[in-house]
Amino acid sequence: QVQLVESGGGSVQAMGSLRLRCAASGNIFSINAMGWYRQAPGKQRELVAAITSGGSTNYADSVKGRFTISRDNAKNMVYLQMNSLKPEDTAVYYCNAEVNTMPFPTDYWGKGTLVTVSS
């Protein structure tokens, strides 16, 4: 089994910054893509940012230029640096990892961390 644990959420004023962290542990041989998703009240879960094992990144248009995703493959960790936060960034942020398992890769999710941005 694999566990993902997020940390770093909290409350911040608009234009502030937060850094989210996600640690993957358990029976891990290797991890393909890792990413951050978010879900605001009454809305569907959406991709925020993703990063491959080789370091290629993908961002939602709404966070480009403000958020930066990075990872430490040796530690099985992924980070999300969030700058210039806006009230519309308020959501529960979930970590996702595609772990190489047999016979097929498996998606794992963390339980989420709440980010609240006040105006």
Side-chain angles (χ1 to χ4, degrees):
Q1 278 294 341
V2 174
Q3 297 80 39
L4 300 180
V5 179
E6 303 99 336
S7 61
S11 297
V12 65
Q13 289 191 329
M15 298 305 294
S17 298
L18 285 173
R19 182 175 171 85
L20 304 184
R21 300 170 181 82
C22 174
S25 62
N27 188 16
I28 298 173
F29 173 67
S30 64
I31 301 176
N32 295 329
M34 301 185 79
W36 291 94
Y37 289 71
R38 68 186 180 187
Q39 188 166 17
K43 295 187 177 181
Q44 290 188 330
R45 189 174 298 190
E46 63 176 358
L47 173 69
V48 176
I51 184 168
T52 68
S53 57
S56 296
T57 58
N58 181 40
Y59 294 93
D61 287 342
S62 59
V63 307
K64 284 181 181 177
R66 300 187 298 121
F67 291 9
T68 302
I69 189 170
S70 60
R71 65 188 281 178
D72 185 330
N73 291 331
K75 296 181 178 179
N76 291 327
M77 292 195 69
V78 64
Y79 308 92
L80 186 68
Q81 178 65 43
M82 306 186 294
N83 298 329
S84 301
L85 282 160
K86 303 176 181 180
E88 51 262 44
D89 294 318
T90 295
V92 178
Y93 284 70
Y94 297 91
C95 176
N96 170 265
E98 184 187 74
V99 179
N100 280 316
T101 56
M102 291 297 292
F104 306 108
T106 303
D107 264 346
Y108 289 93
W109 292 89
K111 293 183 178 180
T113 185
L114 177 62
V115 171
T116 304
V117 184
S118 58
S119 57

